[in-house]
Every structure is written in structure tokens, then in C-alpha cells.
């Protein structure tokens, strides 16, 4: 029986009853990350767009309305006249009337395009090419030598935005620049820019700048003048023609070369313009700009907001101003170097407070910073308020006090160079500027009473009621200190220094007329006589001998601060009150400069010229003053003389009374 071959039976899967057949390979499951990344990316883009939209909306909501920017406004020209009707200066409250690009010679706007934004006609508000070029140039030089802002961006910043260098502000600037480009034509944007940009010396807009620097309308600018104005925009303080004529002219040459590179002018025109130096308008008195700036800063308080050109009549005297400038310049040239005194200020006014001259520094062209209104320590020039307070509390000029080392609650004030005289009268102590006696008087009557007296006479700055107030440690300005001496010169009446007499429109409408409104008596007659005696003694035989005016009665007080940082002389005749300060802007010590030196010499030089031809008149309050005080000063006080506190004199008007009187009156 043949054997049957064995065949393997197919394997039966348990529970199925069927055999297993081979399967095709199953692909591995897809990765979860590969399945979800398109969704995540889409979600990220969507949220990014939402965030960008919200951010953009936030920036847009913060942008100002640009409607009406090209509305024609009336010119805000202001003409300042002196007391004889002579022109002091022409200024603009903000800027002159709107001047369109079409009204100007073509080279005027082209000068700004060439130096500020060569691709102005091509870009849409932001210039990527310009940004890249500036970045490469700055990296090559290793410093910032070029900026990437377009004219439109500069306009956006000047019109609407703060000067802060923040990312948000820069983004607003960029967004607003594009927005402006969508709303206005290139000529309209350039018109807005030229009428809003700052040119230095307090003027905005090309029309105001043209009148201020060159005495003409922008319509009549020459190519050279246009280049100088365009060049000044980069750094107005450094390149405006009045402040720095030579750098301004040199910067103009850079603009002219840029204009030639852009094809706006040819080589011949550039050469001719570079060889033509324009005439700079500086006004009738070179440094009268200090006064003009001071008046302009206060004009809106008197005239309010008006779109009409204004004519302002002032109490200023151009002749006296020229004499004041000469006195300051001559004295600084002669003595300033050896004394290390870089600056000086002079204020002159009539006894009723009318400002006649104001010198805010040695050169307005070099610096428009007005030192006549700057805060400085007065030193011993503050002592009249100490002595007046003491006299009102019963002290007398012939009272005896000890001029020697003193300690007041641990404070030990010393005299100049440590020199003491022992027992002296108050008259001599004042004339010789004894710190020890002034400190004792202040301790006796109280620093608060001294501060109140100073405020009553016209000091408006804050005064710290501390013992050292006796030595003038609280800052004041030359203008207010000079005004506070005026009551001694006018018979005892308080004044507020003023300059504006009347304001009218060019059409003749009167907007303001000053009405006499004094503060009333602030120095009683008896104390006025006593103070006059002391201040005359200072000039005749005390620290202020350098200010003597011959036979003309003169009174005043010197002041020198610690380490010779400030030196003062404030004095008066029957005609004028004059205050002089000398020092340095950075408060560096001078070389032993005292109030009886350089400041007294400036006072004398100015007053001699100012008083020339005027009759000699006695000082108010001098009826009880001996013609010759020298004998009284040198006399030895009687041994029996003692200083006793007496009942205070009748209390003068308080500072509250003065304020009520001032604001209840009819003008300044």
C-alpha cells in the first residue's frame, strides 16, 4: 500500500475556523506633529494678524486729526518799539503767515530737499533706501552722521509728536508720515514743512526766519540765504545766522554742493552763491534781543490770542541799551580775563519800575540765554532787607554791635578774609558788609521776618527762612533784585518792573494800555531815611567806593558769594536803579572777584553815560542824611552805647496786602 504524502494543513486561527492568508504590509501611523502643524501655523498667523490689527488700530487712535493743516492763517508779526517809537525788533508769536511752495523761488524748497531728503519726490513717506544709506554711512564712520527720517517724517514729528526717542513714537511717526502722504500732495507737504520747522533764535517757519535773519520776506531770499536757512535745520542753535554767522555760512556751502549733486543748480550758480555773503539783520542794538525775548514770552498775557500783526510800545531806551552794552563789553574785555569772569548781566529801570535797558550776557549772538532773569545767589546784596527789618523792629543806624566771631545754633559765619573790627555802628557794619553783624540781626528779628520784608519789596523767588538767609544764600534774579531796590530810590513805594506800555493791532485797535498801579508804600519814611544813610555810606566809604559818580548822590550795596562764584553791585540815583551781576554760567569760581570791583565798575561806566546832561538831584529819603558820612563812619562809638530791643515800628503792608493791591489795580 503506497504511502500518502503528508501535506501540512493550513493553520486555523483560533475562533475563526478559517486559515490565515498572508497580508500586505501596513504603513506606520502618521506622526501627530505632522498632522497638526498646518493648523498651528494657520492659528499663529491668524492671531498675529489680529494682534497687528489691534496694535495698528491703537496707533491710529493715538494719531491726531490732520484736517485743516493748510488753512491760511493771519501773520503773527510783532513789532517792538522803544520809548521814542524806534524799532527794537520784529518777532513772531509762533510763525509768520503761511507761504506756499509755489510762491517761493524754486531753489528755496530745493535747498531743503537736497540736504534733508533727496528722494522726497519718489518715496511714500518712508524711504528704505535712505534708511539703508544712512545705516551704512553711520557704520562706516563709527558714529551717527546721517539720519534716515524723511521730510514727511520730520513734519509728522514737528506737528504732532513728542521728541521722545521711543519705539512707539517712531512707529507713530512712520504711520503718520504714510498717512500724510495719502492725504496731501508733495508740494503741500513741503509747504507745511517749511512753515513749521524750527530755525533757531525763537522763530518757526521760513517767513519768520527770513525776516528775523535777513530782514526780508521769504519770497525775496537769495540762493545763498536759502542754503543757509536749509542748513540751519539740522542744528538750529549751532547754525542759525544770528547765533553763529560763520558756521551758518559754511553750512550753507554744504547745502549748495548738495544742490549741485542733485542737479538743482549748476557749477556757476554754486560758485557765485558761495562767494556771496549775505547781510545778517541784528537789530538796532546787538544785545537788545534779550529784552525782546523777555517781552515776547509775556506778550500773550496782555494781548491774548490774536491773529493780527501787533505793535508793542515799550519803556525801553535804545540809547541807554547801547550804553549798557558798551559798559559790559568794555569792562569784561578789560577785567574779565584776569578775574576769570566770563559773563555779566545788567538791568536798568526808572525808580517807578520802567525797564530802560537789559543786558543778558556779553553776546546775544553767542548765547541767547538771559542771565538778567537767571537765578543766582545775591550774597551781601541781600543785606538791605536784613537791615530794613531790623530798623522796623526798633534798631537804629548808630546802634553798636560786635563785629567778631559768632555762633548761631552751630552756624559760624565769617567775614571777608576773616577780618573783624570789634564794636561798630550798624552804619559801618553795613558799609563794610559785616557778615557777623548781619547774622546777629537776622537771629534777633527772625529769618521769617527778613524773608517777609524782601517779598514785600519785590522779591518773588522762594526764600528759605534760615539763619544763612542773612548772607543771601537763596537764589534771586538780577531783574527782581534790582526791582526790589527801587523803593529805596522812589521814596518808599513798591513797584513791579514793567516794559509793555501799550499794544495795538496794525489796524489801530488798542488791546492794552498800562495804567499806573503801584503797590503803595512798602518802606516807612523813617526807615527809608535810615536805609539811604547806610547805602550812601557804602558808596562813599564802604565796599562800593568803585561805584561813586562824583558829585551825583549815589547809593547801593555790593555782594559777593562763597568762593567768588557771584559778584554784584545794585545801586541807584534819583533817576535810575541799576543792578549788575558778574560770574560764570557753570558757577565756576572767579579769581577773587568782588562786588566792589568789576560789577561796581560796570555800574559806574554805565551810569556816568546814562546820567550825562541830567541835573543833579538828591536822593529821596536823604533829607536826614549828613552830607559827609565819613566822619560818622570813622568815629569811635561811645562806650555807653548799647544795643537794646525796642518795640517794633508800625507794621508795613504785608505780602498779602501787596498781592491784593496788585491784582485789584488797573494794570501792570
Amino acid at each position: 500500500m503506497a504511502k500518502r504524502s503528508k501535506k501540512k494543513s493550513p493553520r486555523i486561527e483560533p475562533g475563526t475556523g478559517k486559515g490565515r492568508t498572508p497580508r500586505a504590509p501596513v504603513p506606520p501611523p502618521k506622526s501627530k506633529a505632522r498632522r497638526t502643524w498646518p493648523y498651528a501655523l494657520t492659528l499663529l498667523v491668524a492671531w498675529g494678524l489680529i494682534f497687528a490689527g489691534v496694535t495698528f488700530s491703537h496707533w491710529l487712535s493715538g494719531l491726531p486729526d490732520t484736517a485743516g493743516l493748510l488753512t491760511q492763517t493771519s501773520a503773527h508779526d510783532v513789532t517792538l518799539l522803544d520809548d521814542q517809537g524806534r524799532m527794537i525788533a520784529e518777532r513772531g508769536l509762533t510763525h509768520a503767515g503761511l507761504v506756499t511752495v509755489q510762491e517761493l523761488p524754486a531753489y528755496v524748497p530745493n535747498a531743503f530737499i537736497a540736504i534733508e531728503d533727496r528722494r522726497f519726490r519718489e518715496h511714500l513717506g518712508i524711504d528704505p533706501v535712505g534708511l539703508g544709506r544712512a545705516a551704512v554711512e553711520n557704520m562706516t564712520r563709527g558714529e551717527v552722521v546721517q539720519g534716515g527720517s524723511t521730510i514727511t517724517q520730520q513734519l509728522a514729528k514737528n506737528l504732532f509728536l513728542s521728541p521722545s526717542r521711543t519705539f512707539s513714537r517712531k512707529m507713530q511717526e512712520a504711520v503718520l508720515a504714510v498717512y500724510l502722504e495719502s492725504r496731501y500732495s508733495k508740494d503741500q507737504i513741503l509747504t507745511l514743512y517749511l512753515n513749521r520747522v524750527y530755525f533757531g533764535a525763537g522763530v518757526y517757519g521760513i517767513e519768520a526766519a527770513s525776516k528775523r535773519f535777513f530782514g526780508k520776506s521769504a519770497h525775496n531770499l537769495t540762493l545763498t540765504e536759502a542754503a543757509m536757512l536749509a542748513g540751519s535745520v539740522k542744528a538750529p542753535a549751532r547754525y542759525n545766522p544770528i547765533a553763529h554767522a560763520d558756521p551758518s555760512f559754511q553750512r550753507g556751502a554744504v547745502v549748495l554742493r548738495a544742490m549741485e549733486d542733485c542737479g538743482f543748480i549748476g557749477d556757476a550758480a554754486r560758485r557765485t552763491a558761495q562767494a556771496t555773503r549775505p547781510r545778517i539783520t541784528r537789530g538796532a542794538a546787538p544785545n537788545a534781543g534779550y529784552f525782546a525775548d523777555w517781552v515776547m514770552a509775556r506778550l500773550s498775557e496782555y494781548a491774548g490770542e490774536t491773529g493780527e500783526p501787533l505793535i508793542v510800545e515799550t519803556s525801553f531806551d535804545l540809547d541807554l541799551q547801547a550804553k549798557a552794552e558798551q559798559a559790559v563789553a568794555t569792562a569784561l574785555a578789560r577785567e574779565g580775563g584776569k578775574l576769570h569772569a566770563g559773563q555779566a548781566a545788567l538791568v536798568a529801570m526808572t525808580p517807578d519800575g520802567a525797564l530802560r535797558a537789559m543786558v543778558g550776557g556779553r553776546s546775544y549772538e553767542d548765547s541767547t540765554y538771559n542771565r538778567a532773569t537767571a537765578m543766582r545767589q545775591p550774597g551781601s546784596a541781600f543785606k538791605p532787607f536784613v537791615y530794613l527789618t531790623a530798623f522796623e523792629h526798633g534798631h537804629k543806624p548808630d546802634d553798636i554791635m560786635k563785629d567778631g566771631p559768632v555762633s548761631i545754633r552751630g552756624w559760624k559765619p565769617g567775614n571777608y578774609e576773616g577780618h573783624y573790627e570789634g564794636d561798630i555802628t550798624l552804619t559801618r557794619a553795613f558799609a563794610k558788609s559785616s557778615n557777623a553783624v548781619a547774622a546777629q540781626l537776622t537771629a534777633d528779628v527772625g529769618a521769617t521776618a527778613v524773608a517777609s520784608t524782601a517779598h514785600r519789596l519785590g522779591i518773588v523767588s522762594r526764600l528759605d527762612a534760615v539763619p544763612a538767609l542773612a548772607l543771601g544764600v537763596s537764589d534771586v534774579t538780577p531783574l527782581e533784585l534790582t526791582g526790589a531796590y527801587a523803593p529805596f530810590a522812589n521814596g518808599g513805594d513798591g513797584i513791579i518792573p514793567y516794559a509793555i506800555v501799550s499794544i495795538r493791532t496794525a489796524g489801530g485797535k488798542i488791546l492794552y494800555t498800562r495804567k499806573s498801579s503801584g503797590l503803595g508804600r512798602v518802606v516807612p519814611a523813617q526807615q527809608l531815611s535810615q536805609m539811604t544813610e547806610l547805602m550812601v555810606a557804602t558808596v562813599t566809604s564802604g565796599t562800593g567806593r568803585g561805584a561813586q559818580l562824583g558829585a551825583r548822590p549815589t547809593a547801593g550795596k555790593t555782594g559777593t558769594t562763597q568762593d567768588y562764584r557771584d559778584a554784584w553791585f545794585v545801586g541807584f540815583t534819583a533817576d535810575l536803579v541799576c543792578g549788575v551781576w558778574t560770574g560764570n554760567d557753570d558757577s565756576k569760581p572767579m579769581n577773587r572777584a568782588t562786588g566792589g570791583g568789576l560789577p561796581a565798575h560796570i555800574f559806574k561806566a554805565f551810569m556816568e553815560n546814562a546820567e550825562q546832561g541830567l541835573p543833579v538831584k538828591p536822593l529821596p529819603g536823604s533829607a536826614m542824611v549828613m552830607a559827609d558820612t565819613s566822619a560818622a563812619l570813622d568815629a569811635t562809638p561811645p562806650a555807653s552805647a548799647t544795643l537794646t530791643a525796642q518795640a517794633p515800628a508800625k507794621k508795613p503792608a504785608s505780602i498779602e496786602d501787596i498781592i491784593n493791591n496788585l491784582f485789584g489795580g488797573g494794570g501792570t
Side-chain angles (χ1 to χ4, degrees):
M1 193 173 157
K3 273 184 167 180
R4 293 188 347 195
S5 61
K6 279 186 172 181
K7 291 186 180 178
K8 286 187 177 181
S9 304
R11 184 178 178 184
I12 305 300
E13 293 289 331
T16 65
K18 296 181 179 180
R20 185 177 66 178
T21 58
R23 294 183 184 177
V26 178
K30 291 184 179 180
S31 168
K32 185 177 180 180
R34 292 174 63 186
R35 290 199 309 266
T36 59
W37 76 263
Y39 171 77
L41 180 61
T42 302
L43 188 64
L44 182 63
V45 171
W47 277 108
L49 291 175
I50 292 173
F51 177 77
V54 171
T55 304
F56 186 72
S57 299
H58 171 72
W59 280 330
L60 285 181
S61 66
L63 296 177
D65 184 14
T66 60
L69 293 179
L70 284 167
T71 302
Q72 180 71 34
T73 58
S74 300
H76 284 176
D77 294 337
V78 178
T79 301
L80 302 179
L81 304 177
D82 80 344
D83 65 327
Q84 298 181 43
R86 297 171 293 187
M87 189 180 76
I88 302 169
E90 283 186 326
R91 296 290 176 85
L93 289 174
T94 53
H95 53 79
L98 188 73
V99 179
T100 65
V101 168
Q102 292 80 4
E103 298 176 83
L104 298 170
Y107 52 73
V108 175
N110 285 342
F112 290 84
I113 293 174
I115 198 65
E116 290 294 316
D117 186 3
R118 294 190 180 191
R119 287 173 40 81
F120 173 71
R121 298 287 182 184
E122 286 77 43
H123 63 65
L124 297 176
I126 304 172
D127 185 11
V129 175
L131 285 170
R133 182 176 60 247
V136 171
E137 184 68 18
N138 294 339
M139 286 189 293
T140 302
R141 298 283 190 90
E143 59 179 335
V144 179
V145 294
Q146 285 190 15
S149 293
T150 65
I151 282 178
T152 315
Q153 287 177 272
Q154 293 179 49
L155 175 62
K157 179 181 65 176
N158 292 339
L159 281 175
F160 306 117
L161 303 176
S162 69
S164 60
R165 296 176 178 271
T166 63
F167 177 76
S168 177
R169 205 275 294 163
K170 291 299 292 183
M171 288 301 299
Q172 281 187 322
E173 177 185 299
V175 171
L176 188 53
V178 175
Y179 183 54
L180 286 172
E181 291 273 354
S182 70
R183 295 289 304 274
Y184 296 100
S185 69
K186 289 291 185 179
D187 281 350
Q188 289 175 324
I189 290 173
L190 198 54
T191 292
L192 287 169
Y193 174 79
L194 293 177
N195 283 274
R196 303 288 182 138
V197 70
Y198 182 60
F199 287 93
V203 294
Y204 293 82
I206 193 165
E207 180 71 2
S210 181
K211 289 182 176 180
R212 179 74 177 89
F213 302 140
F214 304 116
K216 63 176 67 174
S217 170
H219 304 82
N220 302 318
L221 285 170
T222 66
L223 176 57
T224 307
E225 294 164 347
M228 291 173 67
L229 289 181
S232 71
V233 171
K234 178 181 179 181
R238 188 164 72 239
Y239 290 130
N240 81 72
I242 284 184
H244 302 285
D246 289 339
S248 176
F249 186 69
Q250 294 163 6
R251 174 69 176 163
V254 174
V255 176
L256 290 170
R257 286 192 291 272
M259 294 179 72
E260 184 180 10
D261 291 341
C262 292
F264 293 141
I265 59 174
D267 178 71
R270 177 187 63 80
R271 290 178 179 274
T272 301
Q274 283 187 213
T276 306
R277 194 171 185 112
R279 177 180 175 273
I280 308 299
T281 302
R282 305 186 189 278
N287 290 335
Y290 295 114
F291 174 80
D293 289 347
W294 184 76
V295 171
M296 290 298 299
R298 287 150 184 80
L299 194 56
S300 61
E301 300 173 13
Y302 297 86
E305 295 298 328
T306 174
E308 299 181 72
L310 301 178
I311 298 173
V312 181
E313 296 178 344
T314 73
S315 61
F316 204 62
D317 186 329
L318 282 171
D319 293 332
L320 288 185
Q321 175 68 16
K323 293 174 181 179
E325 292 175 13
Q326 181 183 7
V328 169
T330 301
L332 284 178
R334 184 177 60 245
E335 304 179 52
K338 64 182 179 182
L339 295 175
H340 299 166
Q343 288 293 346
L346 183 152
V347 175
M349 63 182 68
T350 60
D352 71 348
L355 275 171
R356 308 290 277 165
M358 175 186 283
V359 179
R362 68 191 306 161
S363 173
Y364 183 77
E365 296 180 12
D366 292 338
S367 170
T368 59
Y369 177 61
N370 192 349
R371 295 143 190 97
T373 58
M375 304 287 285
R376 305 293 295 222
Q377 288 188 353
S380 294
F382 189 82
K383 287 177 181 174
F385 311 118
V386 174
Y387 280 75
L388 175 57
T389 308
F391 292 155
E392 290 175 350
H393 281 72
H395 295 291
K396 298 290 189 294
D398 58 357
D399 285 346
I400 306 301
M401 291 193 72
K402 183 77 171 181
D403 178 34
V406 62
S407 178
I408 301 174
R409 295 197 294 274
W411 175 52
K412 300 179 180 180
N415 280 356
Y416 175 66
E417 294 186 337
H419 178 70
Y420 300 99
E421 295 192 11
D423 291 343
I424 56 175
T425 65
L426 291 188
T427 300
R428 184 170 181 82
F430 184 91
K432 296 297 183 179
S433 203
S434 167
N435 289 339
V437 171
Q440 292 176 71
L441 288 174
T442 300
D444 183 22
V445 301
T448 300
V450 173
S452 178
T453 297
H455 284 309
R456 189 176 80 233
L457 266 68
I459 297 296
V460 296
S461 298
R462 174 183 172 180
L463 300 174
D464 294 325
V466 296
L469 180 63
L471 308 187
V473 296
S474 291
D475 291 350
V476 298
T477 71
L479 176 59
E480 67 178 315
L481 186 59
T482 304
Y485 273 58
F488 300 123
N490 66 23
D493 292 333
I495 63 97
I496 296 178
Y498 72 92
I500 299 176
V501 176
S502 71
I503 304 173
R504 67 178 187 273
T505 66
K509 180 181 178 182
I510 303 298
L511 301 180
Y512 169 82
T513 300
R514 181 181 183 274
K515 298 177 181 178
S516 178
S517 177
L519 300 180
R521 180 168 288 277
V522 295
V523 182
Q526 181 180 3
Q527 282 73 46
L528 175 67
S529 176
Q530 293 168 333
M531 290 304 303
T532 303
E533 176 185 341
L534 268 61
M535 287 191 276
V536 168
T538 299
V539 174
T540 56
S541 57
T543 57
R545 290 189 298 272
Q548 290 185 67
L549 300 177
R552 190 178 298 275
T554 308
K557 184 70 185 76
T558 58
T560 308
T561 62
Q562 189 173 16
D563 297 328
Y564 305 98
R565 298 180 189 278
D566 305 274
W568 300 73
F569 184 84
V570 186
F572 56 91
T573 64
D575 305 298
L576 287 172
V577 187
C578 177
V580 179
W581 165 87
T582 61
N584 294 299
D585 288 341
D586 57 6
S587 293
K588 285 185 177 179
M590 294 177 286
N591 184 18
R592 302 180 68 81
T594 64
L598 180 58
H601 300 161
I602 293 175
F603 172 90
K604 179 177 181 178
F606 166 69
M607 293 292 281
E608 283 182 338
N609 281 333
E611 301 270 8
Q612 194 170 12
L614 297 179
V616 175
K617 293 183 288 187
L619 296 173
S622 63
M624 299 174 63
V625 180
M626 299 296 293
D628 184 5
T629 61
S630 298
L633 281 172
D634 296 331
T636 302
S640 60
T642 58
L643 179 61
T644 58
Q646 301 181 26
K650 182 180 179 181
K651 184 180 179 181
S654 66
I655 186 65
E656 290 80 11
D657 294 334
I658 295 172
I659 293 175
N660 291 334
N661 189 8
L662 168 62
F663 290 102
T668 301

